[in-house]
Amino acid sequence: MATLHYAQSWEDPRLLWKAWSDFPCDEVHLIASGGDHALELLHRGIPRIHVYDTEVAQLNHIEQKILALNSPHRDRLFGAGAFALKGGLLHAGRLEGYLRTFSRTLLPVLVSRRTREALYETTDIPSQLDFYHSSQWQSKRWRWFTQRYFSPERVNTKARHPGLIQNQGRSAVTPNYLTQFEQCLATHRLADNPYLDYLLFGGHAHGDLPYLKGDLHDVQPRILLHPEGLQQALQKLPPAPRFIHASDILEGYPSEGIDDFFRTINQSTTSGSTLVFWDHRFQTTPPAFFLESWCRIAPPFQDRVPFYHRYHIYHRP
């Protein structure tokens, strides 16, 4: 049976929506992941989205979510709301299993549920940080266990897609997931961050993902699933204004493949296009020929997901 690596999408859809809102265009292309970012963008009003993945399990998972949206048992099938602890479509991935093992088995020994709830109930970011740095939360055990459970080596082995963990001749940056978690606490209230909520409580304990709160039905004609890689698909398309979300797929590229990726982006797009992608372990610098026609857009706000150290938005004016 094929492995489902990601049951959810671990890129902040607010960033994608902001980038698309600033530079809207009709042709929208996304890496599939768990499909939640595509469903969220449909919920917000993007009319049609192309989704790509070479992993059939990922596309089948999105199909199951589309069907579950129209089911009278939607929340149970997704594992949303009161059904979060019982499993479901939001929790069936390899990464989600790793996070839930931490939050449901190890974390209660380090930080009580009552203390985690108290962090959630703080009213602003300064008080949230004060509470997190207080003796109620901080302990040597907390830092020792979290640093080891979320060491890059362990995360690569236990939680990430195997195609994204090889260095491929590139010089990698060592992620510090605890530091990135703390940076998220310093920029977003926990009450407004479903990704930290999932990490600390083993599910979306304090609210569902936005598209599950709204009236999102009958999305089948609006989301087109393609069983191929994003670059492979773009190579076959004529130039047009396109919005492209490449997630962190460049993590799996050898150094000599980076230029080829950006060349494909150039050849398949025209003025009015936007490219968004994330850095996880590498510092990605687009080649000079790409930067001749694209400009980097300053990040509008901090990412809410604690896995990546940087994201990029490029626009072709």
Side-chain angles (χ1 to χ4, degrees), residues 187-249:
T187 52
H188 297 280
R189 287 191 61 218
L190 181 56
D192 191 40
N193 192 333
Y195 307 101
L196 294 194
D197 190 30
Y198 195 92
L199 180 62
L200 292 177
F201 295 95
H204 300 294
H206 300 94
D208 296 328
L209 297 172
Y211 75 86
L212 288 174
K213 298 177 183 177
D215 186 23
L216 183 62
H217 300 289
D218 302 320
V219 301
Q220 189 82 48
R222 300 171 58 200
I223 183 167
L224 308 176
L225 307 180
H226 303 275
E228 59 184 331
L230 173 66
Q231 183 177 354
Q232 176 189 8
L234 292 173
Q235 287 171 341
K236 297 182 288 187
L237 298 177
R242 304 185 188 281
F243 180 89
I244 300 170
H245 157 59
S247 185
D248 64 346
I249 62 168

Side-chain angles (χ1 to χ4, degrees), residues 16 19-21 23-31 41-42 45-52 221-226 228 230 233-234 236-246 265 268-276 294 314-315:
L16 295 172
W20 185 89
S21 298
F23 309 108
C25 59
D26 292 337
E27 291 295 314
V28 179
H29 308 268
L30 269 62
I31 294 294
L41 293 177
L42 292 175
I46 291 181
R48 188 178 70 162
I49 294 175
H50 296 269
V51 173
Y52 304 88
R222 300 171 58 200
I223 183 167
L224 308 176
L225 307 180
H226 303 275
E228 59 184 331
L230 173 66
L234 292 173
K236 297 182 288 187
L237 298 177
R242 304 185 188 281
F243 180 89
I244 300 170
H245 157 59
I265 299 296
S268 61
T269 61
T270 60
S271 296
S273 297
T274 303
L275 170 67
V276 184
W294 295 73
Y314 284 92
H315 181 63

